[in-house]
Amino acid sequence: MIPAQFNAKEVEQKWYDYWMKNDYFSSKPDHRTPYTIVIPPPNVTGVLHMGHMLNNTIQDVLIRRARLKGFNACWVPGTDHASIATEAKVVAKLKSEGINKNDLSREEFLKHAWDWTNKYGGTILEQLKQLGCSCDWNRTKFTMDDDMSASVIHSFVDLYNKGMIYRGYRMVNWDPEAKTTLSDEEVIFEERQGKLYFLKYKIEGTEDYLTVATTRPETIFGDTAVCINPNDERFAHLKGKKAIVPICNRVVPIILDEYVDVEFGTGCLKVTPAHDVNDKTLGEKHNLEIIDIFNDDASLNSFGLHYEGKDRFVVRKEIEAELEQIGALAKTENYNNNVGTSERTKAVIEPRLSDQWFLKMDELVKPAIKAVLETEEVKLYPSRFNNTYRHWLENIRDWNISRQLWWGQQIPAYYYGDGKEDFVVAETKEKALELAKIKANNPQLTTDNLTQDVDALDTWFSSWLWPIAVFGGILDPENEDYKYYYPTNDLVTGPDILFFWVARMIIAGYEYANEKPFTNVYLTGLVRDKQGRKMSKSLGNSPEPLELIERFGADGVRVGLLLSASAGNDILFDEELCNQGKAFSTKIWNAFKLIKGWEVADIAQPESSKVAIEWYEAKLQKTLLEIEDSFDKYRISDALMSIYKLVWDDFCSWFLEMIKPAYQQPIDKVTFDKAIEMLENNLKLLHPFMPFLTEEIWQRITDRTPEQALIIGEWPKAKAFDEKLIADFDFATEVISGIRTIRKDKNIPFKDAIELKVVNAEKAATYFDSVINKLGNITALTYVSNKVDGALSYRVKSNEYFIPITGNIDVEAEIAKLTEELNYTQGFLKSVQAKLSNEKFVAGAPEQVIANERKKEADALAKIATIEQSLAGLK
């Protein structure tokens, strides 16, 4: 027995277990053409959110379709160690237990980090299974797996040996919450309202002072000069003199440099080389002292005097009062400032001088620019993101790849002395020792003399190798998997990491494989609520994905998400879309039940069924072309909509009605078999989008072996089709709709057969007359030369259709009704024509308004002609 309703919850677990048991998701190199996707690895301790749902649904659609099309489909899943986010969670967890990270050794901390990862890691991958994701779980990777880490270390050593990685004392972006540096790309600039403080610096040995403007008065403790433009005559008398920094009373030189803009602010610039990148440049040029006033959490250190230990923003408020009290604050003004914030922690970034490791990018980036913007070996969808890509890569700076963290790959640099250059880079401590003995010219060195750099590598420095490393291509570029699966085919990700990850993978691909890592990049939009707001827990507008699956079924949620997801555009998510997806599941299920409920007999096939089958086969082929075109353009939502219309409108609303046997009558076997065939073709097209429902129906149609499962079925093959047949049927549907309208308006029950007479001015094809007869319950369809008196009528294009009046219709009442409608329409026409005859209105109204009025006039005239014709036939 087929259940009355589709039970998604029961079906989903059943078929996912079946697919896993039969190993349909796994892939091994063979004679087939590979189709490969690598998952954008989510944070290892993350949980499923709406963005993941959309992104992974699209990937699953692509991989399931490839499987059906005969490719050796391989979807590699995995997770990212997310150094900043994970370390922050572990530190917070330890803090809640009364443990300070600084009291632990690196090994002790890493044990806690691994415990955390093992406890919470992988949850998101299990959740993806509930969505139906058909990843090759045997290939699951984690960016901290031994082989993955070895690939990262190998890459570092290789690039260092090529002279592309160097250690430099640079101004970096410091995240005081995560207590680590960030690359330029991890800094998000936000416009914030602050203040501009005008501070008075006394001129040494005089009662005079000069005024400087700053947005950061707390940094005066790091001032080591005041700078003026040598061409600024206002300050010519200050050349060679010194100024006194307020509060700390440090005497600093007044230096001359054309860097100072005489038009900006006061024309005097406080110089703080340790905390501003431009000031650092001035400091190097003029050999100024560098004073770092901050601790790593952005509280002030001992240089901050009585403010030591206080947060920078607390000091900013308190120092304003002190400056005012001592007469050193001239004034303040409101000021809008672009403030750099951490992409991860949202903390305000602090420019800080530090020894860091950098990767030279100027040469590395060139093949990646060429691949996307010149040769188009790699294509971005939608292509408008090419401009964003160009801007980032053409303005790229050297990549700061070191992080002041313990969770991640430890930088393979080993120090053997106190000098800045007393280090070597190697993949193991043993290899480092060999190199150190040679570099130090000291054969007595032992591993005890080596100290490894304490910093970890940027997480992106591991994930930029992802498409290569998951197949072992860094450590063993000759291995079978790597040579077979790389380069991959499609990447599905968000535009927010177009530079962080996508561009860097392309760079790594050309550096290590001399080849692109993938061909197509599908950039999804951001999932927003129906009001266009970004989803967040604080707004309470972010639905729990697993709860949606519970309520609407995985297939319903997948359809709901994809119906609104055009490439690159933000998705305005509404739960009603999931309800629409669930309703679609119900529609398909009911269609299946209807077909399987028919009694089958060896009887002659009706002409109407033969015609219906020919039409639906042509319609399916036309839709298949549309679907393939949409997939080629990565318009996944459009592909789904084409299938949705084919199944809901063409199959359920028309085809099944055309072949349905009369009440309590059997269907002929030829038509029934064809109906099953058409249903199976529909299921193949639907399967990538709705895997659970389609597999359930497929397996219920007939007994199947594991080798006959839908998941490894065959995508419908494109065949030639008759376009005219489709156009002729579209005309026939209008004829049928006209009959249905008259039946409804005149209360003529469908069981009452009627006649239909046609003036075929259009020379319309008669091929679908048998269908018109069946769906209109027509006893006789005849073609006539002249209009028929005493009949109800309607038009389809220039064809006229007449239904002779029977005793069921009250002619007088019908005449009265039509007369009333005629009078109303004539009155409406008069008002429209009055507007159009008004020269002032025509001269002043917009062109579109005039066009709308002319259309109203034309529609009213056509309606009047139809009504008058109907009246003439009744009189």
Side-chain angles (χ1 to χ4, degrees), residues 18-58:
Y18 180 80
W19 294 329
M20 291 286 285
K21 177 187 171 187
N22 286 285
D23 215 20
Y24 295 127
F25 303 161
S26 69
S27 173
K28 293 179 177 65
D30 62 22
H31 64 281
R32 292 173 294 169
T33 302
Y35 175 85
T36 316
I37 293 179
V38 291
I39 200 172
N43 289 2
V44 64
T45 57
V47 293
L48 202 62
H49 59 59
M50 295 305 291
H52 293 133
M53 292 271 280
L54 171 66
N55 182 288
N56 287 283
T57 294
I58 292 169

Side-chain angles (χ1 to χ4, degrees), residues 195 197 199 217-218 220 247 306-307 313-330 332:
K195 287 183 180 179
Y197 301 82
L199 310 183
E218 68 278 9
I220 61 173
I247 301 179
H306 46 288
Y307 292 106
F313 296 119
V314 172
V315 175
R316 186 174 300 177
K317 287 181 181 177
E318 293 182 0
I319 205 169
E320 179 181 359
E322 183 175 358
L323 288 165
E324 189 167 20
Q325 186 181 355
I326 64 175
L329 181 64
T332 63

Side-chain angles (χ1 to χ4, degrees), residues 588-643:
I588 299 162
W589 184 255
N590 288 342
F592 163 62
K593 279 199 308 170
L594 176 69
I595 295 170
K596 289 294 279 185
W598 291 334
E599 180 189 344
V600 184
D602 283 321
I603 54 176
Q605 182 185 42
E607 178 65 19
S608 57
S609 294
K610 174 178 169 291
V611 168
I613 291 164
E614 288 179 10
W615 163 74
Y616 190 75
E617 286 180 326
K619 185 68 178 181
L620 187 140
Q621 285 299 324
K622 183 179 182 180
T623 305
L624 184 59
L625 281 184
E626 292 173 7
I627 293 165
E628 299 290 9
D629 182 62
S630 294
F631 271 109
D632 287 346
K633 295 171 180 173
Y634 289 82
R635 302 185 69 88
I636 314 297
S637 178
D638 290 354
L640 173 58
M641 185 51 74
S642 294
I643 301 168

Side-chain angles (χ1 to χ4, degrees), residues 7 18 91 124 128 136 181 276 382 414 448 470 532 679 712 766 820 836:
N7 186 333
Y18 180 80
V91 168
I124 192 166
L128 288 177
D136 184 347
T181 59
D276 182 274
Y414 296 84
D448 291 339
V470 295
L679 173 63
I712 52 168
T766 60
E820 183 182 348
L836 291 171

Side-chain angles (χ1 to χ4, degrees), residues 166-207:
Y166 63 94
R167 188 162 171 77
Y169 188 62
R170 298 289 178 86
M171 184 71 71
V172 295
N173 306 301
W174 183 260
D175 180 338
E177 189 168 319
K179 296 186 176 64
T180 184
T181 59
L182 301 178
S183 66
D184 294 334
E185 295 74 31
E186 292 170 296
V187 178
I188 308 299
F189 284 91
E190 299 174 0
E191 187 171 284
R192 295 186 181 181
Q193 187 176 49
K195 287 183 180 179
L196 197 58
Y197 301 82
F198 292 80
L199 310 183
K200 293 154 76 169
Y201 287 55
K202 198 171 181 183
I203 310 302
E204 186 185 36
T206 74
E207 291 303 311

